[in-house]
Amino acid sequence: MSRPQQPEGARGAARDWNGNVILDRDGSRVGRLEHVYLDRDSDAPTWGVVKAGRKHPFVPLHNATAGKGMIQVPVSRRQVESVPAVPSETDLDPDTEATLSRHYSQTDEREHAPRGSSSLAVRRSRGAVSGGLLVLLGAWGALIPFVGPYFGYTFGTTAPWLFTFDRLWLNILPGIAVLLGGLMLGPSANRVSGSLGAELAMAGGIWFLIGPSLSQLWGTGGPGAPIGAPTGPPVLQMLEQIGFFYGLGALATALSAFALGRLAGRSVKD
C-alpha cells in the first residue's frame, strides 16, 4: 500500500519532487507533478499524480529518474493519457495500485508489438528455410531436363536444351510453380501470402508426382512417350526417376505441407 508524501519521514529526494516537470521515456513533457505516493515500509516513491491540462493522471515513479527541475518516468505520454481515472485517495489501496500497474504493463506490451501486427502476422523466419529449399527444388525441376544430359543424367534424349511441350507441362511449369511458391513463402511476414506461396509450391510438387502418369493420356507413342525412358544402368535410371519427378515432387510437397502447418499455428513470439 502507498500513502501520500509527508514532509516528515519521507526521503529528501522524493520530498522535493512536487512541482517538477514530468517527462516521458522519450523526453516529451507530460505535465507537472502534484502529489507523490510513497511506499509505507520503505518511503520509496511509487506513484505520482500529474497535472496534465484538465486531467490528473497517475504515473509510476518506481524507476523514475530525477534531474534538475524534472522527473523522467519510464512510460510513454500515450500511456499516461490513456490511464484509467482513479481517485486520489489518502492511501492507495492494493486494488487501485494493481489497476494502474496492469494498465501500464499491458499498454507497454502493445506499444512494443511490431507495427501492423495482427493475428495474420508471423515472424519472417517462420517460412524462410522451407521457402529457400523450395526455390532450389523448383529451379532444379525446371532446368534438370535441359542441363542433365551434360552429366549423363537424362530421360529419353541425350541432347541438352531440347524443348518439347511435354517438358513444358511436366517439368518447366511445375518447377516454376514450386520456385514462385518458395519466393512467396520465404520472406513473408503474413499468414495469407505465406500460405498462398506454400499452396502454390505444393501444387507444383503434386504435379511432379502425378504428371508422368497422367501424361499417358495424351501420349501417342506408348506409356513412356511423353517423358521418354530413363537412360543408363538400373541404378542411374532409378536416380533419374527420383530426381526428375517422384522424389522431387515428394520433397516439394512435404516441405510445403510443413510450412503450411507452421503458418497455421500462432506462437507466443507472434
Side-chain angles (χ1 to χ4, degrees), residues 20-40:
N20 283 6
V21 173
I22 294 292
L23 304 178
D24 75 352
R25 63 187 176 201
D26 298 319
S28 299
R29 179 188 171 109
V30 176
R32 285 192 177 273
L33 188 63
E34 287 189 325
H35 302 291
V36 176
Y37 285 80
L38 305 174
D39 183 84
R40 183 171 292 277

Side-chain angles (χ1 to χ4, degrees), residues 79-164:
Q79 289 177 279
V80 177
E81 292 174 345
S82 62
V83 69
V86 297
S88 301
E89 303 166 340
T90 302
D91 290 325
L92 285 182
D93 60 73
D95 290 339
T96 301
E97 290 193 72
T99 299
L100 293 170
S101 297
R102 186 163 51 250
H103 163 77
Y104 280 107
S105 63
Q106 290 176 345
T107 53
D108 186 63
E109 290 175 357
R110 289 196 294 268
E111 287 189 359
H112 284 82
R115 183 169 295 179
S117 62
S118 68
S119 60
L120 298 179
V122 293
R123 296 169 66 88
R124 293 186 184 274
S125 60
R126 185 64 62 86
V129 176
S130 298
L133 292 175
L134 287 169
V135 169
L136 294 177
L137 289 175
W140 169 277
L143 294 176
I144 192 60
F146 303 101
V147 299
Y150 288 115
F151 312 100
Y153 188 75
T154 184
F155 263 84
T157 179
T158 58
W161 301 106
L162 176 65
F163 175 83
T164 66

Side-chain angles (χ1 to χ4, degrees), residues 2-242:
S2 298
R3 58 181 174 78
Q5 168 197 313
Q6 300 292 337
E8 299 296 333
R11 294 192 312 181
R15 185 170 59 234
D16 298 333
W17 282 6
N18 284 346
N20 283 6
V21 173
I22 294 292
L23 304 178
D24 75 352
R25 63 187 176 201
D26 298 319
S28 299
R29 179 188 171 109
V30 176
R32 285 192 177 273
L33 188 63
E34 287 189 325
H35 302 291
V36 176
Y37 285 80
L38 305 174
D39 183 84
R40 183 171 292 277
D41 297 323
S42 64
D43 276 345
T46 56
W47 297 97
V49 178
V50 179
K51 184 178 183 346
R54 296 183 179 181
K55 296 182 178 181
H56 300 270
F58 276 80
V59 295
L61 299 178
H62 308 78
N63 296 309
T65 303
K68 187 174 182 180
M70 67 85 182
I71 306 294
Q72 188 167 24
V73 293
V75 296
S76 69
R77 182 173 179 176
R78 182 179 299 178
Q79 289 177 279
V80 177
E81 292 174 345
S82 62
V83 69
V86 297
S88 301
E89 303 166 340
T90 302
D91 290 325
L92 285 182
D93 60 73
D95 290 339
T96 301
E97 290 193 72
T99 299
L100 293 170
S101 297
R102 186 163 51 250
H103 163 77
Y104 280 107
S105 63
Q106 290 176 345
T107 53
D108 186 63
E109 290 175 357
R110 289 196 294 268
E111 287 189 359
H112 284 82
R115 183 169 295 179
S117 62
S118 68
S119 60
L120 298 179
V122 293
R123 296 169 66 88
R124 293 186 184 274
S125 60
R126 185 64 62 86
V129 176
S130 298
L133 292 175
L134 287 169
V135 169
L136 294 177
L137 289 175
W140 169 277
L143 294 176
I144 192 60
F146 303 101
V147 299
Y150 288 115
F151 312 100
Y153 188 75
T154 184
F155 263 84
T157 179
T158 58
W161 301 106
L162 176 65
F163 175 83
T164 66
F165 283 101
D166 291 327
R167 286 184 170 181
L168 173 67
W169 287 103
L170 297 174
N171 298 103
I172 299 174
L173 292 182
I176 290 175
V178 174
L179 186 148
L180 290 180
L183 289 176
M184 292 175 61
L185 170 65
S188 178
N190 183 276
R191 295 179 193 277
V192 174
S193 60
S195 297
L196 287 176
E199 290 170 355
L200 178 61
M202 181 180 290
I206 293 174
W207 185 249
F208 273 122
L209 284 170
I210 66 175
S213 299
L214 292 178
S215 69
Q216 297 178 31
L217 298 176
W218 73 69
T220 58
I227 61 174
T231 62
V235 173
L236 181 58
Q237 292 182 26
M238 177 267 294
L239 294 175
E240 287 168 348
Q241 293 180 69
I242 291 174

